[in-house]
Amino acid sequence: MAKIIKVGSQNPTFTSQNKKASFIHTQRNSNEVTNPFKFTNFEGNTLQFADVFEGFKPSFKASKLRMVAASVTGSMNKMKSSFEPIVNFVNRVTGYASLAWNYAKNTSFTTAMNDAANSIKDTSVSTYRAMADAAVSFKGSSAYRAVADTLNKEIEININLPQIKGLSAIREGITGMGTEMKSQWANLIAKIPARTRYTAETPVAELEKAWMDINALEGGIA
Amino acid sequence: MNKNVLEIIEALTAHQDTDSIRVLEEIGTNSPDNEVREYTSRALVRKNVHDSLKVVIINQGKGINDLSPAVAMSTINEILALKDKTEVVKILDDTINLHSDESVKENARSVKSLLALS
């Protein structure tokens, strides 16, 4: 039984939503939502109808501190569950990185190149042929032809042989292609005439034409 | 601004051929680019001959009468920087006395006042 200090002088206010306190039929179920004595101050030593509340279980006065603690605990549990996939992901990546590192440490260069070559081997023959045709289409370049020949050889060579030599040839061909392109580019640049200088000795007609050409090139805005 | 255009304008400024004034007026002062018009106006003032100074003083929308304040002020500064101002004063007087456009006359009066103060 709740300890009652005194009965306050206030009259309880009954709203239409609240059930009126039944003095005959006592509400002994403490789980009921309605509380007809919600606005009554039980500070007194006696209660006018104290006997009808025999067995009335005190309502749980929720401590604010406890409520806050409970919500924090609940949210922490939720956060923990959302962290789970992240942790799994990190572990998975770490595992793969570790595997890759172990492979690199423990695998000889020859073996690694063979593995790479085998992966190239899986490329379809038609792809190699297309690459060779594309290389040949660059006319007049010996380096391009070397690449094409190498690729064609790659197709014809028994792919069970070590692939390292084939890859080296391709690498040399590509390097040669780069050198060829570089020299051709330099030749092209050399053919471009030097920028015209305009001076007071240049004829007015030439200056006028040059200015109009610039305006035409730039859309009228010089 | 295009470096080639700048070079052409400078070449026309120093050119002895009087046809250069025509090119500067026809192409330079009619350019939609403020910077080109500014350089052209200054070039015409630096030539310091009657025909070139006339272009920047009496024409509505060119030189000291340009709609761009930057171009107008730049032209006026170039006029003020001239060593020999004889020809420009003559043209300003003629403009103030004879020009039909009141705004052009007003601008000429302003420039002449500035010349007197400088």
Side-chain angles (χ1 to χ4, degrees):
Chain A
M1 189 174 175
K3 180 178 181 180
I4 308 300
I5 307 299
K6 71 173 182 180
V7 177
S9 59
Q10 303 91 325
N11 293 323
T13 304
F14 297 110
T15 63
S16 61
Q17 294 177 348
N18 292 339
K19 289 183 182 176
K20 287 190 178 179
S22 172
F23 294 32
I24 299 172
H25 303 287
T26 306
Q27 291 183 347
R28 295 186 183 274
N29 188 356
S30 62
N31 291 328
E32 285 290 334
V33 176
T34 57
N35 180 14
F37 297 93
K38 182 177 176 183
F39 300 104
T40 301
N41 187 3
F42 292 98
E43 291 180 357
N45 291 322
T46 59
L47 183 64
Q48 191 173 0
F49 302 101
D51 57 335
V52 300
F53 293 98
E54 207 173 284
F56 176 75
K57 292 181 183 176
S59 64
F60 174 69
K61 288 186 181 177
S63 162
K64 276 191 181 176
L65 189 61
R66 282 191 187 180
M67 285 164 67
V68 168
S71 66
V72 168
T73 305
S75 55
M76 283 176 68
N77 287 333
K78 190 179 176 185
M79 281 167 64
K80 185 181 172 186
S81 63
S82 64
F83 281 154
E84 282 299 327
I86 298 174
V87 169
N88 290 339
F89 172 76
V90 170
N91 288 336
R92 193 169 70 242
V93 169
T94 307
Y96 286 165
S98 171
L99 284 174
W101 175 242
N102 286 334
Y103 176 80
K105 274 195 310 183
N106 300 325
T107 308
S108 68
F109 178 73
T110 307
T111 311
M113 287 302 288
N114 276 332
D115 288 347
N118 284 332
S119 68
I120 296 173
K121 172 189 74 178
D122 293 335
T123 306
S124 66
V125 170
S126 62
T127 305
Y128 278 121
R129 288 212 183 277
M131 288 164 66
D133 292 342
V136 167
S137 69
F138 285 97
K139 296 178 184 177
S141 169
S142 59
Y144 296 158
R145 187 158 295 282
V147 171
D149 291 344
T150 304
L151 288 170
N152 282 323
K153 278 184 190 172
E154 187 65 26
I155 297 163
E156 292 162 5
I157 287 173
N158 185 342
I159 55 178
N160 288 326
L161 292 176
Q163 304 289 323
I164 297 175
K165 288 184 184 175
L167 286 172
S168 298
I170 291 173
R171 193 184 309 120
E172 284 168 11
I174 291 171
T175 306
M177 189 192 321
T179 307
E180 183 86 13
M181 284 177 67
K182 187 178 174 183
S183 66
Q184 287 188 10
W185 180 253
N187 291 339
L188 192 65
I189 295 293
K191 287 178 186 174
I192 296 174
R195 193 173 77 85
T196 307
R197 307 296 307 204
Y198 301 109
T199 63
E201 278 72 43
T202 310
V204 173
E206 191 176 325
L207 291 171
E208 182 180 9
K209 185 179 179 308
W211 199 348
M212 289 172 68
D213 289 344
I214 292 169
N215 283 351
L217 199 64
E218 295 181 352
I221 298 174
Chain B
M1 186 173 158
N2 192 313
K3 285 184 181 176
N4 286 333
V5 171
L6 184 61
E7 211 169 272
I8 290 170
I9 292 175
E10 286 175 355
L12 289 169
T13 305
H15 219 289
Q16 299 300 319
D17 190 344
T18 54
D19 199 33
S20 59
I21 299 173
R22 177 191 62 80
V23 174
L24 285 169
E25 182 180 4
E26 282 181 6
I27 304 178
T29 60
N30 292 319
S31 171
D33 189 357
N34 287 353
E35 204 173 355
V36 170
R37 290 202 315 278
E38 180 184 339
Y39 276 87
T40 305
S41 296
R42 287 166 60 184
L44 287 166
V45 171
R46 281 204 294 269
K47 287 182 87 65
N48 205 7
V49 293
H50 180 84
D51 289 336
S52 67
L53 291 169
K54 195 175 65 173
V55 171
V56 297
I57 292 175
I58 70 170
N59 286 310
Q60 176 69 272
K62 295 183 182 181
I64 63 172
N65 305 301
D66 197 291
L67 294 176
S68 166
V71 175
M73 287 308 304
S74 187
T75 310
I76 293 170
N77 285 336
E78 201 66 40
I79 290 173
L80 295 175
L82 283 173
K83 288 183 181 174
D84 183 6
K85 298 182 179 63
T86 315
E87 197 62 40
V88 72
V89 169
K90 201 184 300 182
I91 296 173
L92 285 169
D93 285 336
D94 290 342
T95 306
I96 292 166
N97 295 330
L98 303 171
H99 205 285
S100 57
D101 193 317
E102 194 56 42
S103 63
V104 172
K105 287 163 76 170
E106 191 63 39
N107 287 337
R109 269 192 216 103
S110 302
V111 174
K112 194 173 174 201
S113 304
L114 286 170
L115 279 173
L117 291 171
S118 63

